[in-house]
Amino acid sequence: QVQLVESGGGLVQPGKSLRLSCAASGDILRAADVMAWYRQAPGKKRELVAGITIPGTTNYADSVKGRFAISRDAAKTTVYLQMNSLKPEDTAVYYCSAYYAEYELEAWGQGTQVTVST
């Protein structure tokens, strides 16, 4: 099994920045093939925010391109989401996910609240 622990959420004013972190641990002793951040706002479906593969290929939702950046540490077991120029519409619970193709396993974190408000 894999456990994902997120941190870094909170309340921030519009235009400010936050950095989310997600650390993977557990029985699988290799890096996930893909790690990603999703978010879900009240009354809306969960949506992909950004993803990153082991080689470092990234993809972003159009709504966050140019403002958010996803990265992984050298061990590839921790993923970060640097969020700049935050907007009220970025308010959501942010979830980390890790996908292991060999095991056809997708793990999820518990979520961290990000609120952008004056």
Side-chain angles (χ1 to χ4, degrees), residues 15-109:
K16 301 297 186 181
S17 299
L18 274 178
R19 189 191 196 207
L20 304 182
S21 300
C22 171
S25 63
D27 299 327
I28 298 179
L29 301 179
R30 61 177 293 273
D33 296 279
V34 181
M35 295 191 79
W37 289 95
Y38 289 76
R39 68 186 180 187
Q40 187 166 19
K44 295 188 177 181
K45 293 182 179 179
R46 188 174 298 188
E47 63 174 355
L48 176 67
V49 177
I52 186 167
T53 65
I54 288 179
T57 303
T58 59
N59 68 296
Y60 296 92
D62 288 342
S63 59
V64 306
K65 282 180 182 177
R67 299 189 298 122
F68 290 12
I70 189 170
S71 61
R72 294 174 80 158
D73 68 342
K76 312 292 186 185
T77 57
T78 300
V79 65
Y80 306 97
L81 185 67
Q82 179 65 43
M83 305 186 292
N84 300 324
S85 302
L86 282 161
K87 304 176 181 180
E89 51 263 43
D90 294 318
T91 296
V93 178
Y94 284 70
Y95 297 91
C96 172
S97 78
Y99 177 69
Y100 300 80
E102 179 180 354
Y103 305 100
E104 297 183 334
L105 170 66
E106 185 167 29
W108 290 89

